[in-house]
Amino acid sequence: MADPISKTLIAFALLASLLLCSHASSDVPFIVAHKKASLNRLKSGAERVSVSIDIYNQGTSTAYDVSLTDDSWPSDTFEVVTGTTSKSWERLDAGGILSHTFELEAKSKELFAGEPAVIKFRVPTKAALQEAYSTPILPLDLLADRPPEKKFEWAKRLLAKYGSLISVVSIVVLFVYLVASPSKSSTKGSKKKR
């Protein structure tokens, strides 16, 4: 059985090494990227895909020579309408955020599942470029047949949501009308007395 002093020294050495390791590894950028895509059907029948990528530095030091590349959009399926699918920045400070957006037009009808975007950056303490990946997007149903919007759909939703309230208000209005309006029998009796 080990004596209490050696147990204390071993526990202290383990704690010190954990603190040193965590301190040494925490002085780096930690890149998190979120990729979003949304579909927008135009009146002409064409469909546009709006893509936005937000890059966050959750680390404790600056990332340099940050570049974003999103090559997951094949040219036979998409045409770039506005912006570009890649971008570069000089730096991303600790706690900072960078955003990039672009818009594509779908050329063919299909279910498309894109890949994550690639973010490369430089850390002053390392010679090699570091890589991070964005979140993937959900599959996009491009140029899918959608039922046309029905007229009075908003009225059905309103009635479904507030139907009981509308019926109560209708009953109250009917009650007030019946109580406040003069009855026909009382108006006939008053005409005979004159």
Side-chain angles (χ1 to χ4, degrees), residues 47-60:
E47 193 157 48
R48 297 254 171 112
V49 181
S50 297
V51 181
S52 102
I53 302 169
D54 297 324
I55 306 169
Y56 305 91
N57 183 353
Q58 298 295 318
T60 56

Side-chain angles (χ1 to χ4, degrees), residues 102-153:
F102 55 93
E103 194 170 46
L104 308 158
E105 188 165 319
K107 293 181 183 178
S108 62
K109 180 178 178 177
E110 65 180 80
L111 187 62
F112 178 78
E115 298 172 3
V118 179
I119 297 93
K120 293 185 180 183
F121 59 98
R122 187 174 53 78
V123 178
T125 58
K126 297 184 181 179
L129 281 176
Q130 306 297 305
E131 272 190 11
Y133 297 93
S134 73
T135 55
I137 58 170
L138 294 173
L140 302 171
D141 199 1
L142 303 172
L143 298 169
D145 296 328
R146 291 182 177 82
E149 287 286 324
K150 295 180 181 176
K151 293 182 180 179
F152 304 113
E153 192 67 32

Side-chain angles (χ1 to χ4, degrees), residues 23-108:
H23 178 68
S25 65
S26 67
D27 195 24
V28 296
F30 182 72
I31 303 298
V32 177
H34 181 63
K35 179 178 174 180
K36 298 174 279 199
S38 60
L39 294 174
N40 184 20
R41 178 76 54 103
L42 303 176
K43 288 183 180 181
S44 64
E47 193 157 48
R48 297 254 171 112
V49 181
S50 297
V51 181
S52 102
I53 302 169
D54 297 324
I55 306 169
Y56 305 91
N57 183 353
Q58 298 295 318
T60 56
S61 67
T62 301
Y64 295 95
D65 302 326
V66 179
S67 67
L68 163 72
T69 306
D70 190 6
D71 292 333
S72 64
W73 309 97
S75 60
D76 60 330
T77 307
F78 297 98
E79 179 182 343
V80 178
V81 178
T82 57
T84 61
T85 59
S86 62
K87 180 142 173 113
S88 296
W89 297 271
E90 184 179 323
R91 63 189 290 157
L92 175 56
D93 294 324
I97 180 173
L98 298 171
S99 294
H100 180 61
T101 58
F102 55 93
E103 194 170 46
L104 308 158
E105 188 165 319
K107 293 181 183 178
S108 62

Side-chain angles (χ1 to χ4, degrees), residues 148-180:
E149 287 286 324
K150 295 180 181 176
K151 293 182 180 179
F152 304 113
E153 192 67 32
W154 61 271
K156 288 181 187 176
R157 278 187 266 121
L158 186 67
L159 189 58
K161 190 172 183 178
Y162 301 109
S164 59
L165 178 65
I166 292 171
S167 63
V168 168
V169 169
S170 301
I171 291 171
V172 169
V173 169
L174 180 62
F175 178 76
V176 169
Y177 174 75
L178 291 175
V179 170

